[in-house]
Structure formats: C-alpha cells, structure tokens
RNA sequence: GGCGGGGUAGCUCAGGUGGUUAGAGCGUUGGAUUCAUAACCCAAAGGUCGAGAGUUCAACUCUCUCCCCCGCUACCA
C-alpha cells in the first residue's frame, strides 16, 4: 500500500434476481463503486469493474411461484432488467455477468473441489425438515405455519411477512410444507461445513490489526464483533433444487450454498471478461475493493476471505467500504412491500435525469449511518444545487460569451489578484477531491466538486463583467475577456472533475466546449480551452423539476402505504369493536386456540444443561409419552425441587434444539414484572396428560 | 440478553490526542445585484453536541448508568 497498486479490481455486490434495482442499491453500492471506478479510469489506472446477477438461492424460486412462471424465467427477466437499467443509468461495469453462466458453475465447482480435496471441510449430518410427499428437503421459506407473534396462518419459516418477525421453522405453529401441505418430518442429511473458527486468528490479525485504520468503523466494528463472538462452521452446501450442483458423486439434490458461490461470481465474471484474469486475482500488486451494503459485511469480510485464504493464491480485499442503508420517506425500503423508488421506473418517469438521482444519492449517501431519501429533499437539492449553482454558473458563462464574444473563447489578458486566487483554488480542487475519493468519502468529494462551481459564481459576482460591459465595452474589453476566459476554464474543470459524479452532465459540458475525452491529469489546469474555441450553447444542463412531478411520486408512495394499511386493518381488525376489553395481542378465534395442545405433565427428572446458566433439561411424563424439554428456568428453580412436580406443557410446539438438546415442547410459566418466572401448575394433582383448556 | 454502528442547528450530515465565540450544504430571514433557470453574491437568526452522574482547572470530546434508532447475535420458547 505504500506504493501505488499496479491494477485495481473493483467489485459491486451482485444484485439478487428477485426484484428490481432500487435507490437503496444505488446509494449503497453502485453509485459509489461507479464514482470510484470512473475516477480511477480518469487517473489512467488499470482497472476492471465487475458485477453480475446473483440468480440462485431460495427467494427466486419463491418469486417464480408467486408469479406463476419458471425460475429460469424469473432470473432471465431480472437479469436483463438489471443490465438495461444499469447501462441506462451510466453504471460502467466492464462486465455484467450472471451466476447461471456455465463459466461460473465451473469456477464455483472447481473452488469447492479444491477445498474438498484439501480436506478443509467438515462433514456433518443433521436433522432437516423434509416433505415426505414431495420427497425433498425444505428450506426455511418453504415451511409455512402460524406465526407465533401475530397468528398469521401463512407465515414462512424464516419470517412472517405480516408482522415482519424473523422466525425459524420450529417456531411456527402447525408447520406444513409449502409444496404439499404435509406436516414436515425431520430427516438426517449430510452437508459440508467450512470451519470458520480455524480462520479466526488469521482474520483477526488481518482485519483487526491490519486494517484498524483504513477500514470504515462500521465495517471494522461488525467484523470484530463476529470474530470475538466466536466463528462457527458454516454449511457450504444445501439441500435445494435450484443452484449449482455440489461437484461430488451421488449427491442429487445438493447444491452449493449461495453465499459460497455468489462471491466466486466476481472471479468468474473476471474470467469471462479477460483471459488475463489471474493477474487481477492472484497478483499481489492488485488492489481489490468490494463495494457492498452493510447486510453483506460478514460474507465479504469473513466468509469469502476465509475461502480465498483456504484456496490460496488469491488476493484479499484491500478494503470493503460497506455503506449503511437508505430509507425512503422515513420507512425502510422493502422489495416485498413495494416500498422503494425503482430504478427502471425512475428512468422512465424522469428521462435524461440520471445525474439528478446520482447527485441526490451521492450527496446523501449513507456512508456512516442510515439515511433517509425524501422526494422533497430530492426536489430542493436538484433545484437549488444542480440547477441553481452548477447549471446556472455554466449557463451564465456561456450566455455572456455568446453576447460579448460571439460564442468564441476570448483570450486571457493581464491577471489580477482575484483571478489568481480563483486559479489557485481550481488548482487545489483535484487533489482534495481525489483524496476524499481514495478514502471512499463520496459525499465530501461531491461537496468539494460543488465548491468549484460555487467559487465560479462568486468570481462572476465579484467581477460583474456585465457592469464593465455597460461602462464601456471597448475600454473594458480586455478585462471582460480575461474574466470570461478564466470562467470558461473553470467550466472545463467542472467537466473534468465532474466525470465521476455526473457523467452525463460532464459529457454535455465537453460538447459545449468542444473538449474530447478528459483525464484527471487535466484537472486543475486553466489552459484547457484555447482562445478562439467556439462555445456551443446546447441549452440548459438542468431544467427545473416541476413540483407536480414530485407530488406525483409522493402520491404514488402514499397510495402504496394506504393500500397496505387497509389490507392490514381488514385482516386483523373486525373482531375488536364496541368492547372495552384491552387486548395486548390481536384477537384470535377459538379455532386458533384449539390448535394449541396444553397438558399437565409430571417432572420425572431434571438437570442443569451443561454450559448454560439459564437452561434446565427436564424429562416429563406427559401421559402419552416421556419426553425431553429444555426450559429457561434454571435461575428460578433448582433441579432437585422440580422432580415430582406437575407443570403445564405446550405439547405440540415444534421441536427445537437448544444447546444441542432437542426440546419437545415448552413449559408454561408466569413472568412477573421483575422478570421472575413461576411455574404454572394445577392446584391439585391430576393425571399426567390431562388436557388444559 | 450480548455485541457493533449511530443519536450534533428546521432538514441531511462534518468534526474533535478534552482547552478561546461548535462547523458545512440545503431551508428560513434581511440586504445587494440583474449576465443567468426569481437563479447568483453578502449577511443574520437558529444548537443546553440523546438524558443523567462522575473524572478534570476545563468535556460536546474521557468514564459509568440510562433512553431511542439501525444491524448482527444468543442459553426467549
């Protein structure tokens, strides 16, 4: 790092092919990456910018089911949508690949085989939910059941869409397969795990010690937290239909874990791009930078580097400048709830306004914390900054040049102090902007860029060439010429420096000035336009946005919100009417209660769970069987006091492993306000197995 | 419950090895100006730097406790 890297490999997170690109993706990943890359290219550096669609995993299969089309159709649809909208938006990937490409399958399988043959995986056989009817293992999302939180009968095994609670399949009441409605059973299945704990010390040194000063605090903190928490083996294969086959014999229906193969997509995309790909991946003088959102930190900072290390030879990321999230009008962006500003829609509804969005999202980039995008802010930022400061400055220079010099660049005369001051300010700008960009401080870089335009406006105002013109053009001609000459040079700088941030605008300025492609080396110079060069007034760079078009956008979002609220009210309200009963949870029907099997059980044995301070392992006589239940009451009851006691057991709760012990039910307790737990039991001894209702 | 990040002007955010009047952009108000898309330029108002306690000659900056937001995670069941 002390010396300049020979080449750069820049990756942007692979967008997942189950929904369109929205402003959150842009602000978090694609805009910063593209700015960085455009800057590097302007610097004349050797850089490759790779990305592609991530097409495997469970959610695309769900999307296919919802839309009633094949999975292939889903990924094809989103892949081409991504490709088009990125291109139109000016995100300049050197290659936009896809993980369904054969070259990716081969690369990912080779990677797996390499680690497998070195014996770096742990094989583990575990119980997984299985659909006996369809004869397949069920991923979390394919298990449906009643949400324990809001009683939504169609909650998925990983999350309830209604109330947003994160779930695991065991939490669902009455779990059933999404395919067949059959009750899933547990079946053993073998999978391959990457023992991340073996890389913990190496990761700690590399990240916590090695990158303490150059990685962003949010990234560093998250990594530290993971490492100190203790890394565990992570399954690199899954029981799935859709994905890349595990390259071992006799393993039908087993695929590579998406988060194993997706980052390898960066490698296969580079392979597809150039036969020289190894130079970018295996030569230590390459600087690898991953642009991602904060949700991807663990995969890019822990898992993928561990994989690369395990394989050997590969370069590791020099930096992973993850951004936080962009909210929309105060609410979290959500694809499934349709709460987003979609790129393809924006491009259609605001034609030729790519830079407006690029500007708003860069100026407000969630670099250190979550940020909020509002249309009102977009509107004022655009009208007051892009139109008022940048566009207006350029326009006034061009118009004055037209008026006073027939649109030809006048020659520079004797410089005054005020001219020199501006020239100096312009000369300093590129280094300032570059330094911010090198540190991934995009907002700051953009602000410095705008400062150049501000300086231009001030220069105009202070020199007021129009006053000199009125006072007498002939006697002031040299001075007016000098002022406009310098102003035009400044406009040229706005094109050069603006290329990373506002590429479309930069292009338009170049056309006006008759500049060819520019490089960063030209930035800061004030001889970019020769005297006599004709300036073409090609019209305003930025037209004001009408309030109506913003109102339309806000209205669109309000409609979505209203529809959602109505839907929620409609599904959960009707019972609660003229009663004055205060419910802490939403009402349920008797049929909901009927699903619950509570019965009295007698404690046969009780012991503390090793290594857990809150858990007791209980053996219960339920009247119908003898079963094990793990309960978090160790702080409230001693094991010996429990033997022989009767307790109430929620008997049909899905089994769940706790501290390695399968718990087959739940003991009911009353929780006092101070957190003290008391067992619920019948007042008199009853027959074990008596039903509570 | 634990961990990580954040809580600084109306809005979006900078900043600080503790030390004179806490910064920027936008917004607001006033002024100046008219080349320019009522844009630009100048100026002002506006903050008990999440709350409380402590350390210190001195804290927004350090320590502790607490509250709120975002994320991760667990021995919630």
């Amino acid at each position: 790092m002390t010396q300049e890297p020979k080449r750069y490999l820049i990756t942007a997170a692979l967008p997942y092919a189950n929904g369109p690109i929205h402003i959150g993706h842009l602000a978090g990943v694609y805009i910063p990456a593209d700015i960085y890359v455009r800057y590097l290219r302007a610097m004349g550096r050797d850089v490759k910018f790779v990305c592609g669609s991530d097409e495997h995993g469970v959610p695309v299969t769900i999307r296919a089911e919802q839309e009633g089309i094949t999975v292939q159709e889903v990924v094809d649809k989103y892949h081409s949508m991504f490709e088009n909208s990125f291109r139109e938006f000016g995100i300049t990937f050197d290659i936009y690949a896809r993980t369904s490409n054969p070259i990716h399958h081969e690369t990912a399988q080779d990677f797996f085989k390499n680690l497998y043959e070195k014996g770096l995986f742990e094989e583990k056989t575990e119980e997984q939910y299985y659909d006996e009817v369809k004869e397949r293992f069920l991923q979390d999302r394919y298990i449906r059941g009643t949400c324990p939180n809001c009683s939504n009968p169609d909650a998925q095994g990983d999350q309830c869409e209604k109330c947003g609670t994160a779930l695991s399949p065991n939490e669902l009441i009455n779990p059933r397969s999404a395919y067949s409605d059959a009750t899933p059973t547990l079946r053993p299945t073998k999978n391959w795990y990457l023992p991340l704990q073996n890389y913990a010390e190496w990761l700690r040194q590399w990240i916590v010690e090695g990158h303490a000063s150059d990685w962003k605090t949010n990234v560093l903190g998250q990594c530290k937290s993971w490492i100190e928490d203790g890394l565990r083996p992570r399954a690199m294969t899954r029981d799935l239909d859709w994905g890349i086959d595990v390259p071992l014999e006799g393993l039908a229906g087993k695929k590579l874990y998406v988060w194993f193969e997706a980052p390898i997509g960066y490698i296969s995309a580079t392979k597809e791009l150039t036969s020289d790909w190894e130079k970018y991946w295996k030569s230590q003088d390459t600087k690898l930078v991953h642009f991602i959102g904060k949700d991807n930190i663990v995969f890019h900072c822990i898992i993928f580097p561990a994989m690369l290390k395990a394989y050997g030879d590969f370069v590791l990321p020099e930096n992973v400048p993850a951004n936080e999230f962009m909210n929309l009008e105060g609410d979290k962006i959500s694809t499934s709830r349709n709460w987003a500003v979609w790129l393809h829609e924006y491009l259609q509804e605001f034609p030729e306004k790519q830079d407006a969005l690029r500007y708003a999202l860069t100026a407000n980039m969630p670099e250190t914390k979550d940020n909020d995008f509002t249309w009102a802010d977009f509107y004022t930022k655009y009208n007051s900054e892009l139109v008022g400061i940048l566009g207006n400055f350029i326009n006034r220079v061009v118009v004055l040049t037209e008026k006073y010099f027939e649109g030809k660049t006048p020659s520079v005369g004797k410089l005054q102090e005020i001219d020199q001051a501006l020239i100096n300010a312009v000369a300093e700008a590129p280094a300032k902007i570059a330094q911010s960009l090198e540190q991934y401080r995009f907002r700051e870089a953009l602000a410095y860029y705008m400062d150049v335009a501000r300086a231009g406006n001030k220069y105009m105002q202070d020199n007021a060439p129009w006053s000199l013109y009125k006072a007498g053009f002939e006697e002031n001609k040299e001075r007016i010429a000098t002022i406009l000459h310098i102003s035009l040079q400044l406009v040229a700088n706005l094109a050069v420096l603006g290329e990373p941030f506002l590429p479309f605008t930069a292009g338009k300025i170049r056309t006006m000035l008759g500049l060819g492609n520019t490089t960063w080396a030209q930035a800061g110079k004030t001889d970019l336009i020769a005297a006599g060069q004709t300036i073409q007034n090609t019209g305003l760079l930025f037209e004001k946005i009408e309030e109506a078009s913003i109102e339309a956008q806000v209205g669109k979002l309000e409609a979505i919100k209203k529809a959602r609220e109505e839907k929620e009210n409609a599904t959960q309200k009707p019972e609660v009417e003229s009663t004055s009963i205060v419910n802490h949870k939403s009402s349920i029907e008797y049929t909901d209660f009927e699903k619950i099997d509570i019965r009295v059980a007698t404690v046969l044995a009780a012991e503390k769970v090793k290594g857990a301070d809150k858990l007791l392992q209980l053996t219960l006589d339920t009247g119908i069987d003898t079963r094990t239940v793990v309960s978090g009451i160790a702080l409230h009851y001693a094991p010996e006091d429990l033997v022989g006691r009767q307790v109430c057991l929620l008997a049909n709760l899905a089994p769940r492993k706790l501290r390695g012990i399968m718990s087959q039910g739940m003991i009911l307790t009353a929780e006092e306000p101070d957190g003290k737990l008391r067992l619920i039991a019948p007042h008199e001894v009853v027959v074990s197995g008596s039903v509570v209702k």
Side-chain angles (χ1 to χ4, degrees):
Chain A
M1 255 190 314
T2 42
Q3 71 192 82
E4 192 174 288
K6 275 229 171 59
R7 65 194 76 74
Y8 292 78
L9 180 61
I10 309 303
T11 74
L14 308 184
Y16 193 60
N18 78 327
I21 299 291
H22 55 62
I23 54 169
H25 299 124
L26 296 175
V29 178
Y30 304 105
I31 291 176
D34 189 62
I35 291 173
Y36 192 70
V37 166
R38 283 173 180 270
Y39 158 73
L40 292 176
R41 289 197 191 112
M43 290 283 280
R45 305 276 173 80
D46 178 355
V47 49
K48 298 285 183 243
F49 184 19
V50 305
C51 191
S53 303
D54 176 8
E55 303 173 283
H56 298 133
V58 180
V60 286
T61 60
I62 302 213
R63 170 70 68 162
E65 188 184 292
Q66 284 168 349
E67 298 188 8
I69 52 181
T70 67
V71 185
Q72 191 60 48
E73 284 168 334
V74 170
V75 298
D76 285 350
K77 170 178 143 187
Y78 287 110
H79 175 72
S80 64
M81 191 168 180
F82 292 166
E83 216 173 13
N84 292 335
S85 45
F86 279 138
R87 188 185 331 103
E88 203 182 326
F89 193 58
I91 303 293
T92 50
F93 300 124
D94 289 305
I95 181 161
Y96 189 77
R98 54 193 302 184
T99 59
S100 56
N101 279 346
I103 192 169
H104 174 66
H105 280 240
E106 286 159 26
T107 308
Q109 289 179 331
D110 165 76
F111 208 106
F112 184 88
K113 251 189 279 181
N114 179 296
L115 305 198
Y116 178 80
E117 280 159 14
K118 287 185 196 160
L120 295 175
F121 290 120
E122 284 175 8
E123 292 179 14
K124 269 199 221 175
T125 301
E126 280 193 322
E127 306 263 275
Q128 275 255 303
Y129 278 105
Y130 188 81
D131 181 332
E132 307 275 359
V133 179
K134 294 280 178 177
E135 299 186 330
R136 59 168 75 152
F137 282 97
L138 296 169
Q139 296 298 308
D140 293 359
R141 290 200 184 188
Y142 276 114
I143 302 165
R144 302 283 159 81
T146 301
C147 174
N149 186 46
C150 73
S151 303
N152 166 24
D154 289 313
Q156 298 181 166
D158 58 341
Q159 195 189 23
C160 174
E161 286 195 326
K162 189 113 157 265
C163 67
T165 309
L167 299 171
S168 73
N170 329 334
E171 294 176 275
L172 294 175
I173 299 160
N174 286 347
R176 61 184 197 277
S177 163
Y179 294 106
S180 64
D181 276 344
T183 304
T185 55
L186 285 168
R187 263 209 191 185
T189 176
K190 181 153 84 173
N191 277 298
W192 283 262
Y193 288 71
L194 187 63
L196 291 171
Q197 69 279 11
N198 295 352
Y199 303 86
E201 177 51 23
W202 169 77
L203 284 164
R204 200 188 56 76
Q205 280 178 17
W206 172 55
I207 299 171
V208 181
E209 290 174 21
H211 286 293
S213 57
D214 59 333
W215 282 20
K216 293 170 66 165
T217 36
N218 57 342
V219 178
L220 207 58
Q222 195 63 62
C223 290
K224 258 194 215 167
S225 165
W226 272 84
I227 294 169
E228 279 163 22
D229 226 35
L231 298 173
R232 281 168 290 278
R234 192 161 182 125
M236 294 293 140
T237 60
R238 297 288 160 102
D239 293 290
L240 273 180
D241 300 322
W242 180 251
I244 298 178
D245 290 329
V246 175
L248 300 174
E249 294 300 312
L251 286 178
K254 226 167 268 277
K255 308 288 179 193
L256 297 179
Y257 174 41
V258 263
W259 272 111
F260 176 84
E261 51 102 349
I264 295 173
Y266 299 139
I267 301 172
S268 44
T270 318
K271 267 190 185 171
E272 195 178 329
L273 172 66
T274 167
S275 54
D276 248 0
W277 70 275
E278 283 182 296
K279 240 175 48 184
Y280 291 88
W281 277 101
K282 300 190 172 178
S283 179
Q284 292 304 314
D285 42 14
T286 294
K287 176 164 169 174
L288 171 63
V289 180
H290 295 308
F291 282 88
I292 57 167
K294 68 171 161 185
D295 50 335
N296 276 346
I297 291 175
V298 65
F299 303 109
H300 288 78
C301 298
I302 306 281
I303 299 176
F304 189 46
M307 286 165 55
L308 292 173
K309 170 76 175 168
Y311 193 106
D313 305 337
F314 283 96
V315 292
L316 296 169
E318 181 73 34
N319 211 325
V320 185
N323 275 333
E324 302 280 306
F325 286 156
M326 186 64 103
N327 293 326
L328 171 61
E329 303 283 359
D331 277 335
K332 193 188 283 240
I333 291 178
S334 161
T335 297
S336 59
R337 294 187 308 148
N338 192 26
W339 190 253
V341 176
W342 306 106
L343 177 57
H344 64 287
E345 289 185 3
Y346 175 88
L347 290 169
Q348 213 166 21
E349 288 161 27
F350 293 89
E352 305 298 308
K353 287 222 170 12
Q354 291 94 332
D355 282 351
L357 188 59
R358 289 179 72 112
Y359 183 83
L361 295 178
T362 307
N364 242 351
M365 196 173 278
E367 289 175 346
T368 54
K369 58 182 173 191
D370 289 0
N371 233 332
D372 196 27
F373 176 94
T374 64
W375 280 107
D377 191 62
F378 170 82
Y379 171 73
T380 52
K381 269 220 154 59
Y382 177 83
N383 282 347
S384 67
E385 298 178 28
L386 280 183
V387 176
I389 294 167
L390 182 62
N392 183 231
F393 170 66
I394 293 168
N395 184 237
R396 60 204 296 209
V397 174
V398 170
V399 168
L400 284 177
T401 305
E402 266 183 333
K403 276 192 185 165
Y404 302 157
F405 299 99
E406 292 83 43
K408 294 220 187 328
T409 306
S411 49
V412 66
K414 202 167 151 237
L415 295 183
Q416 297 184 0
E417 212 171 297
I418 192 169
D419 307 324
Q420 199 56 55
L422 182 75
I423 290 170
N424 293 345
V426 172
E428 284 165 15
K432 274 171 86 175
I433 294 171
Q435 205 193 353
S436 297
L437 290 177
E438 302 266 4
Q439 294 177 100
Y440 313 103
R441 301 166 72 122
F442 299 99
R443 279 203 320 234
E444 185 179 78
L446 181 64
Y448 286 146
Y449 172 73
M450 290 303 286
D451 282 345
V452 176
R454 285 194 182 91
N457 275 318
K458 183 165 168 51
Y459 178 77
M460 269 290 163
Q461 200 66 30
D462 290 348
N463 288 291
W466 51 91
S467 303
L468 296 170
Y469 182 83
K470 272 188 205 149
F473 183 56
E474 282 313 314
E475 54 265 48
N476 290 316
K477 192 169 180 182
E478 187 196 322
R479 184 63 198 145
I480 296 171
T482 302
I483 295 164
L484 285 181
H485 180 92
I486 292 174
S487 298
L488 281 164
Q489 301 297 350
L490 198 137
V491 173
N493 271 277
L494 289 172
V496 178
L497 297 169
E499 169 63 22
F501 308 102
L502 307 170
F504 294 90
T505 305
K508 285 184 197 162
I509 301 173
R510 288 197 300 268
T511 306
M512 290 169 107
L513 302 184
L515 285 174
N517 282 339
T518 57
T519 69
W520 200 260
Q522 293 170 288
K525 296 193 170 165
T526 34
D527 60 354
L528 299 178
I529 311 170
Q533 170 70 247
T534 301
I535 307 303
Q536 295 180 60
N537 188 349
T538 51
L540 297 173
L541 287 172
F542 303 103
E543 303 274 3
K544 280 216 166 182
I545 291 180
E546 295 300 319
E547 212 167 339
S549 62
I550 295 300
E551 281 166 2
Q553 293 299 325
V554 173
K556 201 159 108 183
L557 289 173
E558 276 169 357
I560 288 168
K561 194 170 229 171
K562 207 170 148 205
R564 188 170 70 225
E565 278 163 6
E566 274 170 8
K567 206 173 143 201
E568 278 164 13
N569 288 344
T571 47
Q572 59 181 202
K573 271 277 173 70
E575 313 86 2
V576 199
E577 247 124 343
S578 54
T579 60
S580 58
I581 299 166
V582 179
N583 284 324
H584 287 259
K585 293 183 180 172
S586 56
S587 312
I588 60 169
E589 296 299 324
Y590 182 71
T591 50
D592 291 322
F593 175 70
E594 268 187 320
K595 292 174 186 165
I596 301 172
D597 181 5
I598 301 176
R599 51 184 68 221
V600 176
T602 307
V603 179
L604 299 177
E607 59 176 306
K608 282 208 69 172
V609 175
K610 242 190 225 159
D613 8 287
K614 290 188 190 169
L615 296 184
L616 289 185
Q617 178 179 348
L618 307 177
T619 307
L620 300 178
D621 172 11
T622 68
I624 42 176
D625 58 13
T626 299
R627 61 170 81 183
T628 299
V629 170
V630 178
S631 181
I633 54 174
L635 298 177
H636 308 277
Y637 290 95
E640 56 272 22
D641 297 341
L642 292 175
V643 178
R645 279 187 68 157
Q646 291 201 312
V647 294
C648 286
L649 170 74
L650 177 54
N652 64 339
L653 180 66
R656 157 112 184 220
K657 237 185 202 179
L658 290 171
R659 262 330 234 195
I661 300 160
M662 192 56 76
S663 177
Q664 298 161 306
M666 170 174 138
I667 303 296
L668 302 188
T669 59
E671 184 178 9
E672 297 187 62
D674 61 0
K676 202 158 134 196
L677 298 179
R678 298 283 90 184
L679 288 169
I680 305 296
H683 277 289
E684 294 111 66
V685 172
V686 300
V687 175
S688 290
S690 301
V691 173
V692 176
K693 51 183 197 177

